[in-house]
Amino acid sequence: PEGPTPPPQPDGQPTPPVTGNATSPQAEAAGKAATNSTNATNATQVVYVDEKGNPVPPPPVPAELLEQAKTFMVNADYPKAMELLETLKGLRDTPKDMYEEVLYLIGDVLYAQNKDNILAAFDKIVTATNEAMNYNLKSHRVPQALLRLGLLNTRVGNSQEAEGYFNLLRRQYPHDENAALAMYYAGEEAYKRGDYQKAADKFQSIVQDFPESKYVREGSVSLARTLYKLGYYQQAASILDFVDKRWGRFYLEYPQLLTVAADVSDHLGKLDDARANYWLYYNINPDAGDIDTVLARQGDILTKQKQPEAARVLYEEAVRRFPDKDGGLISLMRLAEEGIHDTPSIAEMVSVFQRPDNTRPVQAYTTIISGHPQSPLVPLARLKLTMWYLWNRQFPEALASAVEFAQAHPGSDMLPKVREIALQSFTQLVADAVPDGNYNRILQLWEQYPLIRENEKDLSVDTHVAIALSYANTGQPQRALEMLDGFLKGPKDPRHGETVLALALKVYLETQNWQRIADVMQGVSGWSLSDPVQKQADYALALAHENLGQPDLAVPLWQRLYDRKDLPQEQRAYVGYFLSRDAERKRELEKAYLLTRETLSDFLAVAQASPEKEDTPRIKECLLSLMDVTEAAGRLRESLDWTDQYAKYVPDSDPGYAAMRYRVARLQRKMGNVDAWKATLEDLVRRDPQSLYGRMAASELRTTDVTKGLSGFTQGAQP
């Protein structure tokens, strides 16, 4: 309920706006003055004439004009009252005290004229009030002006300015009745904004600092209802007891006091007292605007007292009489749920939804949401409907309903429960999609609902991994890694740590992000890994070291992998390749030869089994290595055989064809096969005489011819 209306104010002060009257007591008293006044008759009548002796009206008498203006104000004839007041304001012989009163009455008239549209006349009223106040800053009416300025700003929503005027009034006039009234209005303004702590402080100030004020009664009642809002039920009960003992029949003036007392008693478990107060309110004020909620609360008390049949009667009465009001809607929900569930949890509502006729709650929620969208019960109904969807395993509907709630009621204190339902629904939808490999569906849900993404930290590890897998399996590896980043820091997650690591290594290998592989492995160096994951980690890290120019760090890992018997042939080929390169660098030719032959065999077997996996560059490197090692060892025939195999991968259109043929010629010459050597060189010259190897071949052939000629000449010259 709203706070009680304060009593009339002292002389010289305006009646507060809540009464609907903004005129000063001077104007209120004008009626009596006008009634009691009689036309004074003088024994000698004075006649006024102009310069030519013609009779003219007598000059205005300020006192008479003022009384007439007050009479017009009492009769709400504000235009005529304002006309007389402006006349008085313009007279030179208006006494000073009367002039001050006129200025304040002008403000009264402006306020009364525009009380239903303060904003339109705000500047005029403020100007008039300031003019009156500044005319005599020592006047006893100044507190009245400060109060009005505060009220004006309150009415137009200027809370800070209003607070400033109220504080100034209290600070400069601490013993004036208006100071207490200012605290009352400041408290009411804070209460309407929902700032209950500030409102309580204001009302408490009235009770403590103005104990003899005529406003302490209203301040006490408002303090009680504010303490109730703050949840300080025992303190509220103490204040109400104080009010009852000091003003025992105040509830006749302000019946809402009974509902405040009933609410407090209800929360303190004093159900009989609560019922008594509700019934008394109902009997005193049966046509009150909140009777619908009183009936519903009476039903709630009977429900708490284990009297379900009596409660049902009241609920049905509220639904029948007030189907479109909050009390009727509350009762509709109570009847459908067969109980009170105002702060529902999912577990609590399961017991409601499991009843045989479990469609009644859904019908009630839908009626409230669709039929009464402005009702304050809509958030509660929408929350319960969302819970019903979750319970009924309608996860898409539950998720959509939760998102709708968050959008419609962003400041609701029920939002955490709605988020919980949304996350549970999303988690279940993801879990259902993973076995079918429906990764697109998972990503569609993830990207469709910002509410889920905003609460990512509250998702389960399983759900995080499922989303990451969805990205990885739909060609978005970087997004997958972003989802998993937090799992690769700190201690190993017992369930998903290895899965996340394996996925990260797979993605980084595919993107050849060698430094990131090294960083990740450094971060999980303290993890104990299963044998399969350790194998994958060793392989990835060894490759990373090789590509980062750190072969010495890679060799121990390659050796550990080479010693395993369960390595797939494709991986074994690469392991052998890097080990053979290391042996060749160290000039361990026999070891390099054996490793390279084994590696070549593995590469060729992989290519035969899966042609798309053939690694031609590595095969050619192995053949070149075998050619070099065998040539260095003097096994020229074998080196030439490896060269013949190498030639299969180097067609004559290949840029390396000429170099390969030149090497063949060199081996042929070393083996003493001069005819084959010569034929190979001549073929090189014929194919491309201007190329490097064409010119080298031509040069070598000429040198050989000259040498032969010189040899014959020398032999013929012997004596």
Side-chain angles (χ1 to χ4, degrees):
E2 292 187 357
T5 300
Q9 298 165 309
D11 290 343
Q13 298 171 13
T15 301
V18 290
T19 65
N21 182 3
T23 57
S24 64
Q26 298 98 304
E28 293 176 0
K32 292 182 180 180
T35 302
N36 296 333
S37 64
T38 58
N39 293 328
T41 57
N42 299 324
T44 303
Q45 186 174 7
V46 178
V47 178
Y48 294 89
V49 296
D50 59 15
E51 296 175 349
K52 297 180 180 180
N54 298 317
V56 295
V61 178
E64 292 179 2
L65 291 179
L66 181 60
E67 292 305 322
Q68 292 175 28
K70 290 180 179 179
T71 301
F72 285 132
M73 289 177 67
V74 170
N75 295 325
D77 192 346
Y78 300 119
K80 290 183 179 179
M82 182 62 77
E83 181 181 352
L84 291 175
L85 292 172
E86 289 291 351
T87 299
L88 280 167
K89 183 180 176 183
L91 292 179
R92 295 182 179 180
D93 56 348
T94 301
K96 184 175 181 180
D97 289 346
M98 185 181 296
Y99 187 83
E100 177 185 322
E101 184 178 1
V102 167
L103 293 178
Y104 277 94
L105 287 175
I106 289 174
D108 283 354
V109 171
L110 287 172
Y111 195 102
Q113 280 182 306
N114 299 279
K115 63 184 179 182
D116 296 327
N117 189 13
I118 289 294
L119 185 60
F122 176 79
D123 291 336
K124 288 183 179 180
I125 302 172
V126 169
T127 299
T129 304
N130 278 322
E131 183 180 5
M133 180 174 63
N134 292 328
Y135 179 75
N136 180 11
L137 292 175
K138 295 183 179 181
S139 171
H140 67 280
R141 296 185 176 93
V142 170
Q144 167 193 343
L146 291 173
L147 178 63
R148 168 167 290 161
L149 291 170
L151 294 176
L152 283 168
N153 280 281
T154 297
R155 290 284 300 276
V156 299
N158 295 337
S159 301
Q160 291 185 343
E161 289 82 353
E163 184 81 7
Y165 283 116
F166 290 149
N167 289 337
L168 180 62
L169 171 56
R170 183 178 182 184
R171 187 168 59 250
Q172 293 192 355
Y173 304 95
H175 304 298
D176 192 282
E177 282 285 2
N178 283 294
L181 191 56
M183 290 299 100
Y184 183 84
Y185 281 117
E188 283 295 315
E189 175 65 16
Y191 186 93
K192 291 175 183 177
R193 294 198 314 269
D195 191 349
Y196 299 122
Q197 185 57 59
K198 186 173 184 179
D201 292 341
K202 299 297 182 183
F203 296 135
Q204 182 73 31
S205 176
I206 298 173
V207 176
Q208 290 183 346
D209 301 339
F210 304 93
E212 302 304 321
S213 169
K214 64 171 66 177
Y215 307 117
V216 72
R217 182 181 66 175
E218 288 73 12
S220 298
V221 174
S222 292
L223 176 60
R225 66 189 177 94
T226 306
L227 290 172
Y228 170 79
K229 284 288 189 180
L230 290 169
Y232 299 136
Y233 305 121
Q234 192 59 59
Q235 294 89 326
S238 298
I239 296 296
L240 290 170
D241 183 61
F242 164 72
V243 172
D244 184 57
K245 289 178 179 177
R246 186 167 177 181
W247 303 283
R249 299 180 65 80
F250 181 45
Y251 65 85
L252 295 174
E253 299 178 42
Y254 179 60
Q256 285 81 7
L257 175 61
L258 295 170
T259 62
V260 175
D263 291 343
V264 171
S265 296
D266 185 8
H267 277 83
L268 290 175
K270 299 178 180 180
L271 301 181
D272 289 335
D273 292 344
R275 283 184 62 192
N277 282 315
Y278 280 136
W279 277 125
L280 181 56
Y281 178 80
Y282 185 90
N283 290 326
I284 290 176
N285 202 9
D287 297 323
D290 57 349
I291 286 298
D292 58 302
T293 58
V294 169
L295 283 172
R297 288 173 181 170
Q298 280 279 48
D300 288 350
I301 291 174
L302 289 169
T303 298
K304 295 174 184 177
Q305 292 181 323
K306 309 300 182 184
Q307 301 182 54
E309 287 304 313
R312 183 176 58 79
V313 171
L314 289 177
Y315 289 143
E316 289 176 346
E317 178 69 4
V319 172
R320 183 186 66 81
R321 289 179 57 188
F322 309 104
D324 298 321
K325 297 190 70 175
D326 289 342
L329 298 176
I330 293 172
S331 299
L332 178 67
M333 195 181 296
R334 299 284 194 259
L335 291 169
E337 296 172 344
E338 299 181 17
I340 301 171
H341 305 282
D342 289 341
T343 55
S345 65
I346 297 174
E348 174 188 343
M349 295 309 295
V350 166
S351 63
V352 175
F353 301 147
Q354 285 178 337
R355 292 172 185 154
D357 190 9
N358 65 2
T359 59
R360 290 179 62 202
V362 177
Q363 293 171 356
Y365 307 149
T366 304
T367 297
I368 294 171
I369 295 169
S370 302
H372 306 84
Q374 302 305 315
S375 171
L377 293 173
V378 168
L380 179 61
R382 185 168 274 137
L383 169 63
K384 291 180 177 180
L385 180 61
T386 306
M387 289 180 171
W388 189 87
Y389 284 137
L390 179 67
W391 171 81
N392 206 40
R393 298 189 65 80
Q394 294 178 241
F395 302 120
E397 291 82 357
L399 183 54
S401 182
V403 170
E404 185 178 0
F405 184 106
Q407 293 172 344
H409 317 290
S412 172
D413 57 2
M414 291 179 268
L415 199 54
K417 293 182 180 179
V418 171
R419 291 194 186 102
E420 179 186 354
I421 298 172
L423 293 174
Q424 286 191 33
S425 302
F426 178 76
T427 298
Q428 191 60 53
L429 287 169
V430 169
D432 292 345
V434 168
D436 299 330
N438 196 348
Y439 299 116
N440 287 322
R441 172 62 172 160
I442 293 174
L443 294 183
Q444 177 192 4
L445 292 169
W446 172 247
E447 294 170 358
Q448 181 178 355
Y449 296 110
L451 177 64
I452 301 299
R453 298 198 301 276
E454 291 166 3
N455 295 275
E456 177 187 342
K457 60 182 177 57
D458 297 321
L459 289 172
S460 67
V461 177
D462 288 353
T463 306
H464 267 104
V465 173
I467 297 170
L469 286 171
S470 300
Y471 278 126
N473 284 281
T474 54
Q476 302 178 71
Q478 194 57 43
R479 298 290 297 276
L481 296 177
E482 291 171 2
M483 291 291 301
L484 300 176
D485 187 59
F487 292 95
L488 298 173
K489 298 174 182 177
K492 171 186 172 184
D493 182 277
R495 287 189 58 200
H496 298 284
E498 291 194 354
T499 301
V500 172
L501 176 61
L503 178 58
L505 292 177
K506 175 178 179 292
V507 171
Y508 289 136
L509 279 172
E510 290 174 352
T511 57
Q512 299 185 8
N513 194 337
W514 310 117
Q515 186 58 56
R516 187 64 183 133
I517 291 175
D519 293 341
V520 167
M521 291 307 302
Q522 178 63 32
V524 302
S525 58
W527 289 15
S528 175
L529 301 176
S530 64
D531 187 66
V533 176
Q534 186 67 61
K535 176 174 63 177
Q536 182 185 4
D538 287 347
Y539 185 78
L541 184 57
L543 275 177
H545 285 318
E546 289 285 356
N547 285 278
L548 291 172
Q550 303 164 343
D552 291 341
L553 296 177
V555 168
L557 296 170
W558 292 132
Q559 190 61 54
R560 187 160 68 190
L561 288 166
Y562 183 79
D563 293 339
R564 300 179 65 101
K565 303 303 181 185
D566 60 345
L567 207 62
Q569 191 168 37
E570 183 179 2
Q571 287 190 355
R572 175 168 290 278
Y574 287 102
V575 170
Y577 169 79
F578 286 109
L579 285 175
S580 67
R581 298 288 77 75
D582 178 67
E584 198 168 344
R585 282 194 302 271
K586 295 175 180 177
R587 305 303 296 167
E588 298 173 357
L589 299 185
E590 184 64 23
K591 181 179 180 181
Y593 174 76
L594 295 174
L595 284 170
T596 304
R597 285 198 62 170
E598 182 181 352
T599 297
L600 177 62
S601 177
D602 287 333
F603 276 129
L604 292 174
V606 169
Q608 184 175 3
S610 304
E612 73 279 1
K613 293 184 178 181
E614 179 177 321
D615 191 342
T616 302
R618 294 288 187 273
I619 292 174
K620 291 169 66 176
E621 283 188 53
C622 288
L623 290 169
L624 283 171
S625 178
L626 290 170
M627 291 160 58
D628 290 340
V629 170
T630 51
E631 183 179 359
R635 305 204 297 266
L636 301 179
R637 179 69 263 174
E638 184 180 356
S639 180
L640 191 58
D641 291 341
W642 291 123
T643 303
D644 290 341
Q645 289 194 42
Y646 181 81
K648 297 175 183 178
Y649 296 92
V650 186
D652 55 5
S653 59
D654 191 287
Y657 177 81
M660 182 270 297
R661 295 298 296 163
Y662 190 81
R663 180 166 186 167
V664 168
R666 187 182 67 194
L667 287 171
Q668 290 169 336
R669 184 173 185 179
K670 284 185 176 181
M671 293 172 64
N673 191 346
V674 177
D675 292 339
W677 164 77
K678 184 177 181 181
T680 301
L681 291 180
E682 288 175 346
D683 183 63
L684 277 174
V685 173
R686 180 177 53 80
R687 285 177 177 273
D688 192 356
Q690 300 304 317
S691 68
L692 172 64
Y693 288 99
R695 294 197 304 271
M696 289 173 62
S699 175
E700 190 168 340
L701 287 171
R702 286 196 301 271
T703 301
T704 302
D705 291 340
V706 170
T707 301
K708 284 183 177 180
L710 180 61
S711 175
F713 174 79
T714 303
Q715 291 175 359
Q718 288 179 352

